[in-house]
Amino acid sequence: MILNRSTHSVRTLVVHTGGIGDFLLFCPALKRLAEEGPVELAGVDRDRLNLAVVSGIAEAAHLIDHFAFSSIFTGPSPLFQKYVTQFDRVIVWMTDGDGRIAGALRAAGVRDVRVLPGLPPIDWKQHASDYYASMLGLEGLPPLRMPFEEDGYTHDVLIHPGSGGKRKNWPLENFIDLAKELALRGRCVTWSLGPAESETKLPPNSTILTVPSIVTLARHLSGTAMYFGSDSGVTHLAAACGCKAVAIFGETNPAVWAPKGDNVKVASGNPWPSVSEVLRAIRE
């Protein structure tokens, strides 16, 4: 499937319901789509999709209820049909085993419909961003960069200890030991905690950052000198915001899932890298 190469502006709707990391891994391909014409986004979490809107990649982000997407499965509603006919191309990152999603979009008059699995296959060996690009006939896309205004936020070191899956989290005691070692070296450490880390027990007097939205977190990350985090969506966001980032990996494969870019270093081990190995990534 090759994208449109003509000079005609192509209006695209992308439906993406995955997590922050999966969405950011798709964003290099999304930027390429936006070169062909306006892009709107729809999903189950408008906050994460707004990362692409605020950074200038997409025009708008909506919840999928905005146009009654779920009516596909019971009988496409007039609202669904009216909305999707605004677009020349609709790309849906979902498994569509019975073809119902693609069929409803074509029946509504969308001429270019792509319904694609939202995650790479289990045996995928290349980088995950290459999966999203290859499914759209693209290759050689540069690493994602998302320009955000810093709004005066500055941090020396920001640590985000959590992720969407506990098995991907470097042990908290290792993060705490890392923070102590960084403090001994004169670094000022701030902890970033989101909803997934609400029960995290940090040492007394820790400096903790909580933010109202992922876009606000992106503004903080854009003003951060050094970031440490596990295999998480926030780690991908830190890399996209351009700060120096150390991504800490255990059982997941960094060759597939690590953020890409010259500002990113990966510390990995079996089952985990040590604190000294993570610190060595800074020197490297």
Side-chain angles (χ1 to χ4, degrees), residues 15-85:
V15 178
H16 192 289
T17 59
I20 297 170
D22 300 329
F23 177 64
L24 293 173
L25 286 164
F26 162 61
C27 276
L30 180 64
K31 292 185 77 169
R32 174 65 181 80
L33 292 173
E35 293 175 8
E36 297 188 349
V39 176
E40 292 191 20
L41 303 169
V44 295
D45 188 326
R46 189 180 176 193
D47 188 32
R48 70 185 56 143
L49 300 179
N50 271 331
L51 290 168
V53 177
V54 176
S55 61
I57 300 174
E59 277 199 341
H62 310 283
L63 294 174
I64 54 176
D65 291 344
H66 173 73
F67 59 102
F69 180 83
S70 62
S71 71
I72 285 175
F73 304 105
T74 57
S77 72
L79 175 61
F80 169 83
Q81 294 175 328
K82 180 179 179 180
Y83 181 74
V84 298
T85 53

Side-chain angles (χ1 to χ4, degrees), residues 228-264:
F228 294 87
S230 299
D231 174 15
S232 70
V234 175
T235 299
H236 281 277
L237 182 60
C241 289
C243 68
K244 294 180 180 179
V246 178
I248 305 169
F249 276 72
E251 66 178 69
T252 49
N253 185 355
V256 177
W257 296 108
K260 298 173 76 173
D262 294 338
N263 60 318
V264 180

